[in-house]
Amino acid sequence: MKVRKLLLLLFGLLFLFPTNTYALSCAQLPSIEQAYENYDAVVIAYVDDIVRKRQSNEIQLTVLNSFKGIQDRKLVMEEDMTWGTSERGTQYLYFLRKKDGGGWENPLCSPMQKVTSAAKALDFLKEKEIAVKDAEFPKGAGSTNWVEVSILVVVLGLLGYGLVRWVKRRNE
């Protein structure tokens, strides 16, 4: 009889323990509002390249949209190589932290997600978008002097026309 009571007591104790236990305090992802407040930068970025370093991966990004903290089009961040999930050629919504000494990191508990599955977050962020600067070019690298190009085209056209006429006269 005592054995039966002991078994019932042990079985009853099973229901006193919590059903979900987590090894990390951040296993429950924060809401988008909390994440926006807690992180230094929020961006949608395309992963251009992943360079393996000794303790981490260096992720080279092209920022498509910025919602907080970053205005540059090109960005390099670090991600731990053991838990980092960034894949080359994919767009992500990143929640980044500024590292001591400069640079950016994708921390362990960041609610990073692929853009294709971030509809709810993007709905919240759409009103918070900030302008992203295009990459800077050296002075004069992107400008074209259309007057010079037009003159060159006209001169080459006249030379070509003169050459064709000269060849026709010579063959007659």
Side-chain angles (χ1 to χ4, degrees):
M1 192 68 158
K2 288 185 179 187
V3 174
R4 189 178 288 175
K5 285 182 183 180
L6 183 62
L7 287 175
L8 284 172
L9 179 65
L10 288 175
F11 184 72
L13 286 176
L14 288 176
F15 293 105
L16 295 177
F17 293 106
T19 57
N20 293 331
T21 56
Y22 300 104
L24 296 172
S25 63
C26 64
Q28 295 285 34
L29 292 177
S31 69
I32 183 65
E33 295 85 4
Q34 292 170 330
Y36 184 81
E37 292 299 320
N38 292 338
Y39 289 89
D40 299 321
V42 180
V43 297
I44 293 176
Y46 177 83
V47 178
D48 294 321
D49 198 12
I50 299 173
V51 179
R52 297 212 180 265
K53 299 287 183 181
R54 191 169 266 208
Q55 300 264 334
S56 62
N57 290 332
E58 181 181 273
I59 312 295
Q60 298 171 359
L61 303 171
T62 298
V63 176
L64 305 174
N65 303 87
S66 179
F67 304 100
K68 182 180 179 181
I70 293 176
Q71 292 182 320
D72 296 325
R73 182 69 63 189
K74 292 293 184 178
L75 176 69
V76 176
M77 69 155 191
E78 284 189 16
E79 184 176 72
D80 189 282
M81 66 179 19
T82 57
W83 50 258
T85 58
S86 296
E87 298 173 4
R88 183 179 297 124
T90 307
Q91 292 180 19
Y92 291 96
L93 174 62
Y94 283 108
F95 294 82
L96 304 175
R97 286 243 164 84
K98 191 115 175 125
K99 289 177 22 183
D100 294 336
W104 295 96
E105 70 175 339
N106 184 21
L108 174 61
C109 296
S110 170
M112 169 192 116
Q113 54 189 310
K114 289 184 179 180
V115 170
T116 54
S117 60
K120 182 180 175 187
L122 293 176
D123 192 42
F124 170 79
L125 293 170
K126 69 182 173 188
E127 296 173 5
K128 299 183 182 321
E129 187 169 358
I130 59 175
V132 177
K133 293 185 264 180
D134 287 327
E136 293 184 21
F137 295 104
K139 189 175 180 181
S143 64
T144 304
N145 190 342
W146 291 106
V147 174
E148 292 175 1
V149 171
S150 300
I151 291 171
L152 181 64
V153 168
V154 169
V155 168
L156 289 175
L158 290 174
L159 285 173
Y161 177 73
L163 182 65
V164 168
R165 287 197 48 136
W166 179 73
V167 169
K168 282 186 177 180
R169 283 187 186 166
R170 192 165 173 221
N171 288 337
E172 290 178 358

